[in-house]
């Protein structure tokens, strides 16, 4: 981009200082606050809190001494944008050596530097320097080799005020969108709970094992990410999403493999996720597709008798009542939760007659469809908000701002480009 002629241009190494490094045990304090990469989910405009840890047993990466106004920028997977400006409450605390800690010199306002580090103008310089596959990373010196352009301190203050005013409005909009999305999700959950409770008044109280014709584990054959001419999709635990099947991420098995026949799915088969995190184990979905597919060993297939609609069983399993049963029987091992076929067979199933199952499913599906459509629209608006945030930063550091209402047109133009 073209930098305004009145602005200064420098590498970060010439306008920032490095932090000092020391062991927390040398401070004489029993506890220190530690800013670790895993504690950030994305850009944080002002960070004033971090976990307290024992100074004597602090990890070896806990070495960089922070000062108010520092910008910390993760050098590991920098595309995740884990960065923050350090607030007063973390002055003289510690950060991981996995951060590049940028301490602005007098010619830069701390907030100006922090916002510039969040901008695509900075990322476009840094991200091409990433190296590695599993854990792409950049070096501290590579972060400091990036250029920054800046006007006078007075103009920097005006730019920071402009950014914060616009981001405050976007924050408020995002909070409203998040609340609306949460309410839509709650409506779906409440609908499932209500139908299961009402069905309990008229239906039989049975179990999945009593109503199933078939319960079996899936294929343990190694699947490939490569799609060949004679390949069949393998549905895995990640393909079960919110009671439905998600086909966006697939692996494949050769059609000539014995499991391609042995574990071939039939329409109406219910797939149950038998192992995952405690939040995701026990989720289910119904296979109802014309294409051929098999299922992996972390899933259990259930095929029901004619008196049980698989979609109804799926609603019960994913309802709050079903989730409560899963939580009561899961086994936890090394971070993974498990529900085996024996516990699945004992899964309580409220079973009204088929006609009532159909009616309740129709009412629930109508509400779920409307709520899901609303959630999709909200995600679109959030994506728009993200684009506007980046456009605000791009406009702020392009020197194109005038302080007039025309600035909004500049932001729209950048967001749409």
């Amino acid at each position: 981009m073209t930098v305004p002629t009145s602005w200064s241009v420098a590498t970060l190494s010439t306008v920032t200082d490095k932090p000092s490094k020391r062991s927390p045990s040398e401070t004489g304090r029993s506890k220190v606050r530690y800013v670790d990469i895993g504690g950030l989910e994305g850009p944080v405009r002002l960070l004033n809190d971090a976990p307290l840890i024992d100074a004597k047993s602090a990890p070896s990466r806990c070495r960089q001494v922070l000062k108010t106004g520092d910008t910390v920028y993760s050098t590991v997977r920098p595309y995740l944008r884990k960065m923050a400006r350090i607030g007063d409450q973390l002055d003289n605390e510690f950060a991981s050596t996995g951060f590049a800690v940028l301490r602005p010199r007098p010619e830069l306002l701390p907030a100006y530097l922090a916002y510039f580090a969040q901008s695509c103008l900075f990322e476009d310089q840094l991200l091409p320097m990433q190296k590695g596959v599993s854990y792409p990373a950049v070096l501290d010196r590579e972060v400091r080799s990036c250029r920054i352009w800046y006007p006078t301190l007075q103009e920097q203050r005006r730019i920071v005020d402009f950014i914060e005013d616009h981001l405050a409005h976007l924050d408020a909009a995002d909070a409203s969108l998040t609340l609306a999305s949460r309410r839509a999700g709650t409506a779906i959950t409440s609908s499932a709970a209500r139908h299961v409770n009402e069905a309990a008044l008229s239906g039989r109280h049975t179990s999945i094992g009593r109503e199933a014709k078939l319960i079996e584990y899936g294929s343990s054959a190694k699947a490939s990410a490569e799609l060949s001419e004679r390949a069949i999709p393998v549905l895995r635990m990640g393909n079960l999403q919110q009671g439905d099947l998600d086909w966006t991420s697939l692996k494949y098995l050769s059609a000539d493999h014995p499991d391609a026949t042995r574990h071939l799915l039939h329409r109406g088969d219910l797939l149950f996720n038998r192992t995952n995190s405690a939040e995701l184990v026990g989720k289910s979905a119904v296979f109802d597709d014309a294409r051929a597919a098999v299922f992996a060993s972390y899933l259990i297939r259930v095929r029901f008798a004619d008196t049980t609609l698989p979609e109804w069983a799926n609603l019960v399993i994913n309802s709050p009542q079903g989730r409560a049963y899963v939580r009561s029987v899961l086994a936890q091992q090394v971070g993974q939760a498990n529900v085996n076929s024996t516990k699945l067979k004992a899964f309580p199933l409220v079973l009204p007659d088929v006609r009532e199952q159909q009616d309740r499913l129709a009412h629930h599906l109508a509400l779920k469809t409307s709520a899901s459509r609303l959630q999709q629209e909200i995600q679109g608006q959030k994506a728009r908000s993200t684009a506007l945030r980046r456009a605000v930063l791009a406009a702020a550091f392009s020197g194109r701002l005038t302080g007039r209402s025309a600035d909004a047109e500049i932001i729209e133009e950048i967001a749409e480009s």
Side-chain angles (χ1 to χ4, degrees):
M1 63 161 285
T2 302
V3 180
T5 55
S6 61
W7 288 26
S8 299
V9 181
T11 61
L12 285 172
S13 62
T14 62
V15 290
T16 64
D17 293 319
K18 291 185 177 182
S20 61
K21 293 183 180 180
R22 66 187 302 197
S23 170
S25 62
E26 298 172 358
T27 63
R29 297 155 57 189
S30 61
K31 302 275 188 181
V32 297
R33 294 199 179 274
Y34 176 43
V35 180
D36 193 15
I37 293 173
L40 300 181
E41 294 300 323
V44 178
R45 291 217 288 279
L46 189 64
L47 186 65
N48 264 312
D49 195 20
L52 274 172
I53 63 170
D54 289 327
K56 290 184 178 179
S57 59
S60 60
R61 295 177 69 85
C62 178
R63 289 293 182 273
Q64 303 200 86
V65 182
L66 296 169
K67 294 296 180 184
T68 301
D70 287 350
T71 288
V72 296
Y73 193 103
S74 174
T75 58
V76 180
R77 292 177 173 164
Y79 57 86
L80 295 178
R81 308 181 74 229
K82 294 190 174 188
M83 67 186 85
R85 176 161 58 100
I86 300 301
D88 293 339
Q89 300 304 311
L90 292 178
D91 188 58
N92 211 36
E93 300 293 350
F94 287 82
S96 167
T97 53
F99 286 112
V101 179
L102 305 173
R103 183 162 298 159
R105 291 181 181 172
E107 54 264 48
L108 287 181
L109 291 180
Y112 183 92
L113 170 61
Y115 285 126
F116 186 86
Q118 293 181 33
S119 73
C120 59
L121 305 174
F122 175 71
E123 291 178 345
D124 288 347
Q125 300 177 70
L126 183 65
L127 297 187
M129 300 184 198
Q130 294 177 98
K131 293 172 287 294
V133 178
S134 299
Y135 296 95
V138 293
L139 300 174
D140 182 89
R141 59 179 171 80
E142 291 172 330
V143 175
R144 296 177 189 280
S145 73
C146 294
R147 296 186 310 151
I148 183 171
W149 39 95
Y150 55 95
T152 64
L153 290 175
Q154 181 179 357
E155 181 65 8
Q156 288 180 47
R157 289 189 186 92
R158 189 181 78 84
I159 289 172
V160 168
D161 288 344
F162 165 86
I163 292 172
E164 293 185 340
D165 178 62
H166 280 73
L167 294 189
H169 286 89
L170 289 171
D171 286 345
D174 280 353
S176 296
L177 291 170
T178 298
L179 179 60
S181 180
R182 189 179 298 122
R183 286 176 173 171
T186 299
I188 295 172
T189 302
S190 298
S191 172
R194 177 174 64 83
H195 285 295
V196 172
N197 280 336
E198 291 177 355
L201 300 176
S202 58
R204 291 188 292 117
H205 291 255
T206 179
S207 67
I208 286 178
R210 291 193 191 119
E211 306 303 321
K213 296 191 298 184
L214 173 68
I215 295 180
E216 65 174 358
Y217 293 97
S219 170
S220 58
K222 186 172 182 178
S224 170
E226 295 183 8
L227 175 60
S228 62
E229 185 176 346
R230 288 182 54 76
I232 295 179
V234 179
L235 295 175
R236 298 167 295 147
M237 55 185 179
N239 298 113
L240 275 63
Q241 298 286 337
Q242 298 180 334
D244 298 309
L245 286 175
D246 182 347
W247 294 77
T248 55
S249 178
L250 294 171
K251 287 195 173 182
Y252 300 90
L253 189 66
S254 169
D256 299 321
H257 194 285
D259 282 6
T261 300
R262 186 182 305 125
H263 297 290
L264 188 68
L265 286 162
H266 295 188
R267 272 188 148 165
D269 285 350
L270 181 140
L271 294 174
F272 180 87
N273 190 351
R274 69 181 180 90
T275 183
N276 208 314
S277 65
E279 295 76 23
L280 297 177
V281 69
K283 298 285 189 175
S284 64
V286 176
F287 178 79
D288 187 17
D289 205 282
R291 76 189 100 175
V294 299
F295 64 107
S297 59
Y298 288 145
L299 302 179
I300 300 176
R301 165 173 39 196
V302 183
R303 190 173 295 160
F304 290 98
D306 294 340
T307 53
T308 305
L309 297 179
E311 294 82 4
W312 173 256
N314 187 49
L315 185 151
V316 174
I317 291 171
N318 290 292
S319 71
Q321 297 92 323
R323 296 303 301 160
Y325 172 76
V326 167
R327 287 192 296 272
S328 72
V329 300
L330 62 82
Q332 193 91 29
Q333 294 179 343
V334 196
Q336 285 286 93
N338 299 277
V339 177
N340 60 28
S341 61
T342 300
K343 292 172 180 175
L344 176 58
K345 288 176 183 177
F347 204 116
L349 184 63
V350 175
L351 198 64
D353 62 48
V354 171
R355 178 62 181 272
E356 185 176 344
Q357 291 176 50
Q358 291 171 333
D359 288 345
R360 293 192 177 282
L361 283 168
H363 283 93
H364 177 71
L365 180 60
L367 182 143
K368 182 178 178 180
T369 299
S370 297
S372 297
R373 187 180 299 118
L374 174 61
Q375 288 177 320
Q376 289 175 355
E377 292 173 359
I378 289 170
Q379 288 306 310
Q381 291 300 319
K382 284 191 171 183
R384 175 65 176 161
S385 174
T386 299
L388 284 171
R389 287 174 186 275
R390 298 178 78 85
V392 165
L393 295 174
F397 300 113
S398 68
R400 298 169 62 186
L401 301 180
T402 64
R404 300 189 299 271
S405 60
D407 288 349
E409 297 178 7
I410 295 172
I411 293 169
E412 289 287 340
E413 176 187 331
I414 295 174
E416 293 171 0
S417 62

